Short mmCIF file of all heavy atoms in Angstrom, two decimals:
data_model
loop_
_atom_site.label_atom_id
_atom_site.label_comp_id
_atom_site.label_asym_id
_atom_site.label_seq_id
_atom_site.Cartn_x
_atom_site.Cartn_y
_atom_site.Cartn_z
N ALA A 182 -15.92 37.23 -22.83
CA ALA A 182 -16.39 35.86 -22.57
C ALA A 182 -17.09 35.30 -23.79
O ALA A 182 -17.73 36.03 -24.55
CB ALA A 182 -17.33 35.85 -21.37
N ARG A 183 -16.99 33.97 -23.95
CA ARG A 183 -17.64 33.31 -25.09
C ARG A 183 -17.92 31.86 -24.75
O ARG A 183 -17.38 31.29 -23.80
CB ARG A 183 -16.74 33.37 -26.32
CG ARG A 183 -15.42 32.61 -26.18
CD ARG A 183 -14.64 32.60 -27.47
NE ARG A 183 -13.34 31.96 -27.37
CZ ARG A 183 -13.13 30.65 -27.51
NH1 ARG A 183 -14.16 29.83 -27.74
NH2 ARG A 183 -11.90 30.14 -27.41
N ALA A 184 -18.77 31.24 -25.56
CA ALA A 184 -19.03 29.81 -25.45
C ALA A 184 -17.84 29.05 -26.01
O ALA A 184 -17.15 29.53 -26.93
CB ALA A 184 -20.30 29.44 -26.20
N GLY A 185 -17.60 27.86 -25.46
CA GLY A 185 -16.50 27.05 -25.94
C GLY A 185 -16.81 25.57 -25.83
O GLY A 185 -17.90 25.18 -25.41
N GLU A 186 -15.83 24.77 -26.21
CA GLU A 186 -15.93 23.32 -26.13
C GLU A 186 -14.92 22.81 -25.12
O GLU A 186 -13.97 23.49 -24.76
CB GLU A 186 -15.69 22.69 -27.50
CG GLU A 186 -16.61 23.19 -28.60
CD GLU A 186 -18.07 22.85 -28.34
OE1 GLU A 186 -18.32 21.84 -27.64
OE2 GLU A 186 -18.94 23.58 -28.84
N ALA A 187 -15.11 21.54 -24.71
CA ALA A 187 -14.23 20.96 -23.69
C ALA A 187 -12.77 21.02 -24.11
O ALA A 187 -11.88 21.22 -23.27
CB ALA A 187 -14.65 19.52 -23.41
N GLY A 188 -12.50 20.87 -25.39
CA GLY A 188 -11.12 20.88 -25.87
C GLY A 188 -10.40 22.20 -25.68
O GLY A 188 -9.16 22.26 -25.72
N ASP A 189 -11.16 23.28 -25.46
CA ASP A 189 -10.54 24.59 -25.24
C ASP A 189 -9.72 24.63 -23.96
O ASP A 189 -8.96 25.59 -23.74
CB ASP A 189 -11.61 25.69 -25.20
CG ASP A 189 -12.23 25.96 -26.55
OD1 ASP A 189 -11.49 25.86 -27.56
OD2 ASP A 189 -13.44 26.25 -26.62
N VAL A 190 -9.87 23.62 -23.13
CA VAL A 190 -9.10 23.57 -21.89
C VAL A 190 -7.60 23.57 -22.19
O VAL A 190 -6.79 23.99 -21.34
CB VAL A 190 -9.52 22.32 -21.07
CG1 VAL A 190 -8.96 21.04 -21.69
CG2 VAL A 190 -9.07 22.44 -19.62
N ALA A 191 -7.21 23.15 -23.37
CA ALA A 191 -5.79 23.11 -23.74
C ALA A 191 -5.17 24.49 -23.76
O ALA A 191 -3.94 24.62 -23.62
CB ALA A 191 -5.63 22.44 -25.11
N ASN A 192 -5.98 25.53 -23.94
CA ASN A 192 -5.46 26.89 -24.06
C ASN A 192 -5.67 27.71 -22.80
O ASN A 192 -5.40 28.92 -22.80
CB ASN A 192 -6.14 27.59 -25.24
CG ASN A 192 -5.92 26.86 -26.54
OD1 ASN A 192 -4.80 26.48 -26.86
ND2 ASN A 192 -6.99 26.65 -27.30
N ALA A 193 -6.14 27.08 -21.72
CA ALA A 193 -6.46 27.81 -20.49
C ALA A 193 -5.36 27.66 -19.45
O ALA A 193 -4.82 26.57 -19.25
CB ALA A 193 -7.78 27.32 -19.93
N GLN A 194 -5.04 28.76 -18.80
CA GLN A 194 -4.10 28.71 -17.68
C GLN A 194 -4.82 28.51 -16.34
O GLN A 194 -4.22 28.12 -15.35
CB GLN A 194 -3.28 30.01 -17.60
CG GLN A 194 -2.33 30.23 -18.76
CD GLN A 194 -3.05 30.71 -20.00
OE1 GLN A 194 -3.90 31.62 -19.93
NE2 GLN A 194 -2.72 30.13 -21.15
N LEU A 195 -6.13 28.76 -16.34
CA LEU A 195 -6.93 28.64 -15.13
C LEU A 195 -8.24 27.97 -15.52
O LEU A 195 -8.95 28.46 -16.41
CB LEU A 195 -7.18 30.02 -14.51
CG LEU A 195 -7.91 30.15 -13.18
CD1 LEU A 195 -7.34 29.24 -12.11
CD2 LEU A 195 -7.88 31.60 -12.71
N VAL A 196 -8.56 26.84 -14.89
CA VAL A 196 -9.74 26.05 -15.23
C VAL A 196 -10.59 25.87 -13.97
O VAL A 196 -10.08 25.49 -12.92
CB VAL A 196 -9.35 24.66 -15.77
CG1 VAL A 196 -10.59 23.84 -16.13
CG2 VAL A 196 -8.42 24.80 -16.97
N VAL A 197 -11.89 26.14 -14.09
CA VAL A 197 -12.82 25.95 -12.98
C VAL A 197 -13.88 24.94 -13.39
O VAL A 197 -14.54 25.11 -14.42
CB VAL A 197 -13.49 27.27 -12.57
CG1 VAL A 197 -14.65 27.01 -11.62
CG2 VAL A 197 -12.48 28.20 -11.92
N CYS A 198 -14.05 23.91 -12.59
CA CYS A 198 -15.11 22.91 -12.80
C CYS A 198 -16.15 23.10 -11.72
O CYS A 198 -15.88 22.87 -10.54
CB CYS A 198 -14.53 21.50 -12.74
SG CYS A 198 -13.21 21.21 -13.93
N ALA A 199 -17.33 23.55 -12.12
CA ALA A 199 -18.40 23.85 -11.18
C ALA A 199 -19.68 23.18 -11.65
O ALA A 199 -20.66 23.84 -12.01
CB ALA A 199 -18.59 25.37 -11.06
N THR A 200 -19.67 21.84 -11.66
CA THR A 200 -20.79 21.08 -12.20
C THR A 200 -21.20 19.98 -11.24
O THR A 200 -20.55 19.74 -10.22
CB THR A 200 -20.39 20.41 -13.54
OG1 THR A 200 -19.53 19.28 -13.27
CG2 THR A 200 -19.66 21.38 -14.46
N SER A 201 -22.26 19.30 -11.60
CA SER A 201 -22.70 18.13 -10.83
C SER A 201 -22.33 16.84 -11.56
O SER A 201 -22.95 15.80 -11.35
CB SER A 201 -24.22 18.18 -10.61
OG SER A 201 -24.90 18.25 -11.85
N ALA A 202 -21.31 16.90 -12.41
CA ALA A 202 -20.93 15.76 -13.24
C ALA A 202 -20.50 14.57 -12.40
O ALA A 202 -19.90 14.72 -11.33
CB ALA A 202 -19.79 16.16 -14.18
N SER A 203 -20.79 13.39 -12.89
CA SER A 203 -20.32 12.16 -12.25
C SER A 203 -19.17 11.53 -13.02
O SER A 203 -18.53 10.60 -12.53
CB SER A 203 -21.47 11.15 -12.13
OG SER A 203 -22.01 10.86 -13.41
N GLU A 204 -18.90 12.03 -14.24
CA GLU A 204 -17.81 11.54 -15.08
C GLU A 204 -16.93 12.71 -15.49
O GLU A 204 -17.37 13.86 -15.51
CB GLU A 204 -18.38 10.85 -16.32
CG GLU A 204 -19.24 9.63 -16.04
CD GLU A 204 -18.46 8.48 -15.43
OE1 GLU A 204 -17.23 8.41 -15.68
OE2 GLU A 204 -19.05 7.65 -14.72
N PRO A 205 -15.65 12.45 -15.84
CA PRO A 205 -14.75 13.54 -16.22
C PRO A 205 -15.31 14.43 -17.33
O PRO A 205 -15.95 13.95 -18.27
CB PRO A 205 -13.50 12.79 -16.68
CG PRO A 205 -13.51 11.51 -15.91
CD PRO A 205 -14.97 11.14 -15.81
N LEU A 206 -15.05 15.72 -17.20
CA LEU A 206 -15.60 16.71 -18.12
C LEU A 206 -14.78 16.89 -19.39
O LEU A 206 -15.29 17.38 -20.40
CB LEU A 206 -15.69 18.07 -17.40
CG LEU A 206 -16.64 18.13 -16.21
CD1 LEU A 206 -16.37 19.40 -15.40
CD2 LEU A 206 -18.08 18.09 -16.67
N PHE A 207 -13.51 16.51 -19.35
CA PHE A 207 -12.62 16.75 -20.49
C PHE A 207 -11.44 15.79 -20.42
O PHE A 207 -11.22 15.12 -19.41
CB PHE A 207 -12.13 18.21 -20.50
CG PHE A 207 -11.48 18.64 -19.20
CD1 PHE A 207 -10.14 18.39 -18.94
CD2 PHE A 207 -12.24 19.28 -18.23
CE1 PHE A 207 -9.55 18.78 -17.76
CE2 PHE A 207 -11.66 19.67 -17.03
CZ PHE A 207 -10.32 19.42 -16.80
N ASP A 208 -10.70 15.74 -21.51
CA ASP A 208 -9.50 14.91 -21.60
C ASP A 208 -8.39 15.59 -20.81
O ASP A 208 -7.87 16.63 -21.20
CB ASP A 208 -9.11 14.76 -23.06
CG ASP A 208 -7.85 13.93 -23.27
OD1 ASP A 208 -7.21 13.54 -22.27
OD2 ASP A 208 -7.50 13.70 -24.44
N GLY A 209 -8.00 14.99 -19.70
CA GLY A 209 -7.02 15.61 -18.82
C GLY A 209 -5.65 15.79 -19.44
O GLY A 209 -4.88 16.66 -19.00
N SER A 210 -5.33 15.02 -20.47
CA SER A 210 -4.02 15.15 -21.11
C SER A 210 -3.86 16.49 -21.82
O SER A 210 -2.74 16.90 -22.15
CB SER A 210 -3.80 14.01 -22.11
OG SER A 210 -4.68 14.12 -23.22
N LEU A 211 -4.98 17.21 -22.04
CA LEU A 211 -4.94 18.49 -22.74
C LEU A 211 -4.47 19.63 -21.83
O LEU A 211 -4.06 20.69 -22.32
CB LEU A 211 -6.32 18.84 -23.29
CG LEU A 211 -6.89 17.90 -24.36
CD1 LEU A 211 -8.30 18.31 -24.72
CD2 LEU A 211 -5.99 17.88 -25.59
N VAL A 212 -4.55 19.45 -20.52
CA VAL A 212 -4.21 20.54 -19.59
C VAL A 212 -2.70 20.77 -19.62
O VAL A 212 -1.91 19.85 -19.45
CB VAL A 212 -4.67 20.22 -18.17
CG1 VAL A 212 -4.24 21.31 -17.20
CG2 VAL A 212 -6.19 20.05 -18.13
N GLN A 213 -2.31 22.02 -19.81
CA GLN A 213 -0.91 22.37 -19.97
C GLN A 213 -0.17 22.38 -18.64
O GLN A 213 -0.76 22.66 -17.59
CB GLN A 213 -0.79 23.73 -20.66
CG GLN A 213 -1.47 24.87 -19.92
CD GLN A 213 -1.45 26.16 -20.69
OE1 GLN A 213 -0.68 27.06 -20.39
NE2 GLN A 213 -2.33 26.26 -21.71
N PRO A 214 1.14 22.08 -18.64
CA PRO A 214 1.94 22.18 -17.41
C PRO A 214 1.88 23.61 -16.86
O PRO A 214 1.88 24.58 -17.61
CB PRO A 214 3.35 21.84 -17.89
CG PRO A 214 3.15 21.00 -19.10
CD PRO A 214 1.92 21.56 -19.77
N GLY A 215 1.78 23.71 -15.55
CA GLY A 215 1.72 25.01 -14.90
C GLY A 215 0.33 25.57 -14.75
O GLY A 215 0.12 26.54 -14.00
N ALA A 216 -0.66 24.99 -15.45
CA ALA A 216 -2.03 25.47 -15.34
C ALA A 216 -2.60 25.13 -13.98
O ALA A 216 -2.14 24.20 -13.30
CB ALA A 216 -2.90 24.87 -16.44
#
Side-chain angles (χ1 to χ4, degrees):
R183 65 175 176 86
E186 304 297 333
D189 289 325
V190 74
N192 301 313
Q194 293 77 45
L195 185 50
V196 180
V197 169
C198 303
T200 75
S201 57
S203 58
E204 298 294 334
L206 296 166
F207 53 85
D208 179 355
S210 68
L211 297 175
V212 176
Q213 58 186 257

